[in-house]
Amino acid sequence: GQQVMQIPQYQHVQEGEDFTTYCNSSTTLSNIQWYKQRPGGHPVFLIQLVKSGEVKKQKRLTFQFGEAKKNSSLHITATQTTDVGTYFCAGPHAGNMLTFGGGTRLMVKP
Amino acid sequence: DGGITQSPKYLFRKEGQNVTLSCEQNLNHDAMYWYRQDPGQGLRLIYYSQIVNDFQKGDIAEGYSVSREKKESFPLTVTSAQKNPTAFYLCASRTHPGDSNQPQHFGDGTRLSIL
C-alpha cells in the first residue's frame, strides 16, 4: 500500500536557525497537505500543494512539491519558539483517506 | 462557532471494559474519521465514514467499532478485544469524501489510559 515517510523524526534547533523537513511518498500524489500539531494539541491544516514543482510561502514557511509529485518539503526560516510542534505531511489515498507521514518533531531552544 | 467536539478529554478503562469516545461535528461535513496516535508517532486510521449508515475499516480496525446513525455523530467504541488501548484518539471530518483536495479538520482528541 501507499507509504509516506518523513525525515528527520526529530530536530533540535537554536532559535533563529533554519529548519527543513522532507516528505517522500511511495506513489505519485494528486496533492500533498501539511499539518502542524502543537504539543498536547491536535493537527491543524497548514497548506495544500497540487501542481508539480509548486512552491507556496506563508510568512517564514516555504512549502515545495516535487516535480514528480512524490516528494515535498517544508522549510522554516529563522525559527521561533512558536514554531515548536510536530509537522506532518499527508497524501490522499483511495480518494477518501489521507495517509500521514510519521511527522517531524521540531524543538527550538531559546 | 462550527467545529468538532470530542469527549471526554481523558478516559480511563478497566480491564475487560468497553468504552465509547464521542465525536460530534456541526460543520455539515459528510466524511468523518478516527485516528489513533501513540506517543511520538504519526496518525493511524482506525475507521472512516463517507455517509450516514456506512463506514469502512482503516489500517488498525481490530478491537474497535463505530456507528454513523447521524451525519453529525461518529462514536468510537474501544472494545475489550483491544489489548493495548492506551493512546491519543483523534476524530476528524472533511466536507466531501470523494474530493481529495479538501483538508481534514480535527477535534481536540481523547486521551485513553488503562487503569
Side-chain angles (χ1 to χ4, degrees):
Chain A
Q2 181 192 65
Q3 292 187 358
V4 178
M5 316 279 276
Q6 271 185 267
I7 56 169
Q9 193 173 2
Y10 304 95
Q11 182 91 58
H12 287 86
V13 299
Q14 194 72 42
E15 189 172 20
E17 291 181 341
D18 292 356
F19 159 78
T20 304
T21 173
Y22 299 91
C23 177
N24 290 286
S25 170
S26 59
T27 60
T28 301
L29 301 170
S30 59
N31 68 77
I32 193 148
Q33 299 177 6
W34 284 91
Y35 293 78
K36 177 183 178 181
Q37 184 177 25
R38 293 183 185 275
H42 60 272
V44 174
F45 174 75
L46 292 177
I47 207 163
Q48 177 177 263
L49 305 170
V50 179
K51 299 177 185 174
S52 169
E54 188 171 13
V55 177
K56 285 188 177 180
K57 292 192 176 185
Q58 288 181 348
K59 297 182 181 177
R60 295 177 293 104
L61 278 62
T62 301
F63 302 84
Q64 287 190 311
F65 200 9
E67 294 290 340
K69 300 183 79 173
K70 293 182 71 174
N71 57 71
S72 181
S73 65
L74 158 60
H75 179 82
I76 302 178
T77 303
T79 54
Q80 300 175 359
T81 54
T82 53
D83 295 324
V84 163
T86 301
Y87 293 85
F88 292 98
C89 62
H93 172 58
N96 303 311
M97 296 178 284
L98 282 178
T99 300
F100 283 82
T104 296
R105 184 177 171 191
L106 172 63
M107 289 155 278
V108 180
K109 289 178 271 188
Chain B
D1 266 351
I4 301 175
T5 302
Q6 288 188 242
S7 63
K9 192 166 183 176
Y10 300 95
L11 187 58
F12 297 92
R13 195 192 89 169
K14 294 180 182 178
E15 293 280 346
Q17 187 183 39
N18 292 354
V19 291
T20 298
L21 284 59
S22 170
C23 178
E24 304 277 331
Q25 54 100 359
N26 60 6
L27 299 167
N28 199 33
H29 285 177
D30 291 309
M32 296 186 75
Y33 307 82
W34 273 106
Y35 294 93
R36 170 180 172 141
Q37 186 176 35
D38 292 284
Q41 303 295 314
L43 283 68
R44 292 186 290 168
L45 183 65
I46 305 172
Y47 268 97
Y48 68 101
S49 168
Q50 300 175 67
I51 197 168
V52 174
N53 292 323
D54 184 60
F55 48 83
Q56 280 79 41
K57 293 181 179 180
D59 300 320
I60 55 166
E62 187 173 347
Y64 300 97
S65 65
V66 293
S67 62
R68 187 88 187 274
E69 297 176 2
K70 299 186 297 182
K71 186 175 184 178
E72 304 79 22
S73 179
F74 191 40
L76 172 74
T77 296
V78 183
T79 74
S80 56
Q82 174 49 248
K83 298 305 179 188
N84 183 23
T86 298
F88 187 42
Y89 291 86
L90 286 158
C91 178
S93 70
R94 190 167 72 170
T95 180
H96 297 300
D99 184 353
S100 66
N101 287 340
Q102 297 297 319
Q104 291 188 5
H105 301 261
F106 287 83
D108 288 338
T110 293
R111 294 191 184 276
L112 176 63
S113 302
I114 291 185
L115 278 178

Short mmCIF file of all heavy atoms in Angstrom, two decimals, chain A residues 10-38:
data_model
loop_
_atom_site.label_atom_id
_atom_site.label_comp_id
_atom_site.label_asym_id
_atom_site.label_seq_id
_atom_site.Cartn_x
_atom_site.Cartn_y
_atom_site.Cartn_z
N TYR A 10 13.14 13.82 14.46
CA TYR A 10 13.28 14.89 15.46
C TYR A 10 14.31 15.90 14.96
O TYR A 10 15.23 15.54 14.23
CB TYR A 10 13.79 14.34 16.80
CG TYR A 10 12.97 13.26 17.41
CD1 TYR A 10 13.30 11.93 17.21
CD2 TYR A 10 11.86 13.56 18.21
CE1 TYR A 10 12.55 10.91 17.77
CE2 TYR A 10 11.10 12.55 18.77
CZ TYR A 10 11.45 11.23 18.56
OH TYR A 10 10.70 10.22 19.11
N GLN A 11 14.15 17.14 15.39
CA GLN A 11 15.14 18.16 15.07
C GLN A 11 15.15 19.19 16.19
O GLN A 11 14.11 19.77 16.53
CB GLN A 11 14.78 18.85 13.75
CG GLN A 11 15.78 19.89 13.31
CD GLN A 11 16.86 19.33 12.43
OE1 GLN A 11 16.59 18.77 11.39
NE2 GLN A 11 18.09 19.50 12.85
N HIS A 12 16.35 19.37 16.78
CA HIS A 12 16.56 20.44 17.75
C HIS A 12 17.28 21.57 17.03
O HIS A 12 18.30 21.33 16.38
CB HIS A 12 17.46 19.98 18.90
CG HIS A 12 16.79 19.05 19.86
ND1 HIS A 12 16.74 17.69 19.66
CD2 HIS A 12 16.15 19.29 21.03
CE1 HIS A 12 16.10 17.13 20.67
NE2 HIS A 12 15.73 18.06 21.51
N VAL A 13 16.79 22.79 17.17
CA VAL A 13 17.48 23.93 16.58
C VAL A 13 17.55 25.05 17.61
O VAL A 13 16.75 25.10 18.56
CB VAL A 13 16.77 24.47 15.31
CG1 VAL A 13 16.74 23.39 14.24
CG2 VAL A 13 15.39 24.99 15.61
N GLN A 14 18.52 25.92 17.41
CA GLN A 14 18.62 27.13 18.22
C GLN A 14 17.67 28.15 17.60
O GLN A 14 17.56 28.23 16.36
CB GLN A 14 20.06 27.65 18.18
CG GLN A 14 20.39 28.69 19.23
CD GLN A 14 20.50 28.09 20.62
OE1 GLN A 14 21.08 27.02 20.81
NE2 GLN A 14 19.96 28.80 21.59
N GLU A 15 17.01 28.91 18.44
CA GLU A 15 16.12 29.94 17.90
C GLU A 15 16.88 30.82 16.91
O GLU A 15 18.00 31.26 17.19
CB GLU A 15 15.56 30.80 19.03
CG GLU A 15 14.47 31.76 18.59
CD GLU A 15 13.81 32.47 19.77
OE1 GLU A 15 14.42 32.52 20.85
OE2 GLU A 15 12.67 32.94 19.60
N GLY A 16 16.27 31.06 15.76
CA GLY A 16 16.92 31.85 14.71
C GLY A 16 17.52 31.00 13.61
O GLY A 16 17.78 31.50 12.50
N GLU A 17 17.76 29.72 13.88
CA GLU A 17 18.27 28.82 12.84
C GLU A 17 17.13 28.38 11.92
O GLU A 17 15.95 28.47 12.27
CB GLU A 17 18.92 27.59 13.47
CG GLU A 17 20.21 27.89 14.19
CD GLU A 17 20.85 26.65 14.79
OE1 GLU A 17 20.15 25.62 14.95
OE2 GLU A 17 22.05 26.70 15.09
N ASP A 18 17.51 27.90 10.75
CA ASP A 18 16.52 27.40 9.81
C ASP A 18 16.22 25.93 10.08
O ASP A 18 17.00 25.22 10.73
CB ASP A 18 17.02 27.55 8.37
CG ASP A 18 17.12 28.99 7.93
OD1 ASP A 18 16.73 29.90 8.71
OD2 ASP A 18 17.60 29.22 6.82
N PHE A 19 15.10 25.45 9.55
CA PHE A 19 14.65 24.07 9.74
C PHE A 19 13.99 23.58 8.47
O PHE A 19 13.27 24.33 7.80
CB PHE A 19 13.64 24.03 10.90
CG PHE A 19 12.74 22.82 10.91
CD1 PHE A 19 13.20 21.59 11.36
CD2 PHE A 19 11.43 22.90 10.47
CE1 PHE A 19 12.37 20.48 11.38
CE2 PHE A 19 10.59 21.79 10.48
CZ PHE A 19 11.06 20.59 10.93
N THR A 20 14.27 22.31 8.13
CA THR A 20 13.61 21.72 6.96
C THR A 20 13.19 20.29 7.29
O THR A 20 13.94 19.53 7.90
CB THR A 20 14.55 21.68 5.75
OG1 THR A 20 15.02 23.00 5.46
CG2 THR A 20 13.83 21.14 4.52
N THR A 21 11.99 19.92 6.88
CA THR A 21 11.52 18.54 6.97
C THR A 21 11.16 18.07 5.56
O THR A 21 10.64 18.84 4.75
CB THR A 21 10.33 18.40 7.93
OG1 THR A 21 9.81 17.07 7.84
CG2 THR A 21 9.22 19.38 7.64
N TYR A 22 11.44 16.79 5.32
CA TYR A 22 11.26 16.22 3.99
C TYR A 22 10.23 15.09 4.04
O TYR A 22 10.20 14.30 4.98
CB TYR A 22 12.58 15.67 3.46
CG TYR A 22 13.66 16.73 3.34
CD1 TYR A 22 14.54 16.97 4.39
CD2 TYR A 22 13.79 17.48 2.17
CE1 TYR A 22 15.52 17.94 4.29
CE2 TYR A 22 14.77 18.44 2.06
CZ TYR A 22 15.63 18.67 3.12
OH TYR A 22 16.60 19.64 3.01
N CYS A 23 9.44 15.03 2.99
CA CYS A 23 8.36 14.05 2.91
C CYS A 23 8.47 13.30 1.60
O CYS A 23 8.62 13.92 0.54
CB CYS A 23 7.04 14.81 2.98
SG CYS A 23 5.56 13.81 2.82
N ASN A 24 8.44 11.96 1.65
CA ASN A 24 8.54 11.15 0.44
C ASN A 24 7.43 10.12 0.40
O ASN A 24 7.19 9.41 1.38
CB ASN A 24 9.89 10.44 0.40
CG ASN A 24 11.02 11.39 0.17
OD1 ASN A 24 11.23 11.90 -0.92
ND2 ASN A 24 11.75 11.69 1.22
N SER A 25 6.78 10.03 -0.76
CA SER A 25 5.69 9.08 -0.94
C SER A 25 6.14 7.95 -1.85
O SER A 25 6.92 8.14 -2.77
CB SER A 25 4.48 9.78 -1.55
OG SER A 25 3.51 8.84 -1.96
N SER A 26 5.61 6.75 -1.59
CA SER A 26 5.93 5.60 -2.43
C SER A 26 5.16 5.65 -3.75
O SER A 26 5.48 4.92 -4.68
CB SER A 26 5.62 4.31 -1.68
OG SER A 26 4.24 4.27 -1.32
N THR A 27 4.13 6.50 -3.82
CA THR A 27 3.33 6.63 -5.04
C THR A 27 3.19 8.10 -5.42
O THR A 27 3.40 8.99 -4.59
CB THR A 27 1.93 6.03 -4.85
OG1 THR A 27 1.28 6.74 -3.78
CG2 THR A 27 1.98 4.56 -4.50
N THR A 28 2.86 8.36 -6.66
CA THR A 28 2.61 9.73 -7.12
C THR A 28 1.34 10.25 -6.47
O THR A 28 0.34 9.53 -6.36
CB THR A 28 2.45 9.75 -8.65
OG1 THR A 28 3.64 9.23 -9.24
CG2 THR A 28 2.22 11.17 -9.15
N LEU A 29 1.39 11.49 -6.02
CA LEU A 29 0.27 12.09 -5.29
C LEU A 29 -0.45 13.12 -6.14
O LEU A 29 0.18 13.89 -6.87
CB LEU A 29 0.78 12.75 -4.01
CG LEU A 29 1.52 11.84 -3.03
CD1 LEU A 29 2.17 12.67 -1.94
CD2 LEU A 29 0.56 10.82 -2.43
N SER A 30 -1.76 13.18 -6.01
CA SER A 30 -2.51 14.24 -6.69
C SER A 30 -2.33 15.57 -5.97
O SER A 30 -2.43 16.64 -6.57
CB SER A 30 -4.00 13.88 -6.75
OG SER A 30 -4.51 13.71 -5.45
N ASN A 31 -2.09 15.50 -4.66
CA ASN A 31 -1.79 16.69 -3.89
C ASN A 31 -1.10 16.28 -2.61
O ASN A 31 -1.06 15.08 -2.28
CB ASN A 31 -3.08 17.48 -3.56
CG ASN A 31 -3.99 16.75 -2.59
OD1 ASN A 31 -3.73 16.71 -1.40
ND2 ASN A 31 -5.05 16.17 -3.10
N ILE A 32 -0.55 17.22 -1.91
CA ILE A 32 0.03 16.93 -0.60
C ILE A 32 -0.42 18.01 0.36
O ILE A 32 -0.50 19.20 0.00
CB ILE A 32 1.56 16.80 -0.65
CG1 ILE A 32 2.05 16.18 0.68
CG2 ILE A 32 2.23 18.13 -0.92
CD1 ILE A 32 3.25 15.33 0.52
N GLN A 33 -0.73 17.61 1.57
CA GLN A 33 -1.17 18.54 2.60
C GLN A 33 -0.17 18.52 3.75
O GLN A 33 0.46 17.50 4.02
CB GLN A 33 -2.57 18.14 3.12
CG GLN A 33 -3.64 18.17 2.03
CD GLN A 33 -5.00 17.72 2.51
OE1 GLN A 33 -5.22 17.48 3.69
NE2 GLN A 33 -5.95 17.61 1.59
N TRP A 34 -0.05 19.67 4.40
CA TRP A 34 0.82 19.79 5.57
C TRP A 34 -0.02 20.23 6.77
O TRP A 34 -0.89 21.11 6.66
CB TRP A 34 1.94 20.79 5.33
CG TRP A 34 3.04 20.25 4.45
CD1 TRP A 34 3.12 20.35 3.10
CD2 TRP A 34 4.21 19.55 4.87
NE1 TRP A 34 4.26 19.73 2.64
CE2 TRP A 34 4.95 19.24 3.71
CE3 TRP A 34 4.70 19.14 6.12
CZ2 TRP A 34 6.16 18.55 3.76
CZ3 TRP A 34 5.91 18.46 6.17
CH2 TRP A 34 6.62 18.16 5.00
N TYR A 35 0.27 19.61 7.92
CA TYR A 35 -0.40 19.91 9.17
C TYR A 35 0.64 20.17 10.25
O TYR A 35 1.75 19.63 10.21
CB TYR A 35 -1.28 18.72 9.61
CG TYR A 35 -2.46 18.43 8.72
CD1 TYR A 35 -2.29 17.76 7.50
CD2 TYR A 35 -3.75 18.80 9.08
CE1 TYR A 35 -3.38 17.49 6.68
CE2 TYR A 35 -4.84 18.54 8.26
CZ TYR A 35 -4.63 17.88 7.07
OH TYR A 35 -5.72 17.61 6.25
N LYS A 36 0.22 20.97 11.25
CA LYS A 36 1.08 21.22 12.41
C LYS A 36 0.32 20.82 13.66
O LYS A 36 -0.86 21.17 13.82
CB LYS A 36 1.47 22.69 12.50
CG LYS A 36 2.30 23.01 13.75
CD LYS A 36 2.60 24.49 13.86
CE LYS A 36 3.40 24.78 15.14
NZ LYS A 36 3.69 26.23 15.28
N GLN A 37 1.01 20.10 14.55
CA GLN A 37 0.41 19.71 15.82
C GLN A 37 1.28 20.26 16.94
O GLN A 37 2.43 19.84 17.11
CB GLN A 37 0.31 18.17 15.93
CG GLN A 37 -0.38 17.67 17.17
CD GLN A 37 -0.51 16.16 17.20
OE1 GLN A 37 0.26 15.45 16.58
NE2 GLN A 37 -1.49 15.63 17.93
N ARG A 38 0.72 21.19 17.70
CA ARG A 38 1.44 21.72 18.86
C ARG A 38 1.44 20.66 19.96
O ARG A 38 0.54 19.81 20.01
CB ARG A 38 0.78 23.00 19.36
CG ARG A 38 0.88 24.16 18.39
CD ARG A 38 0.26 25.41 18.98
NE ARG A 38 0.23 26.51 18.04
CZ ARG A 38 1.23 27.33 17.83
NH1 ARG A 38 2.36 27.18 18.52
NH2 ARG A 38 1.14 28.30 16.94
#
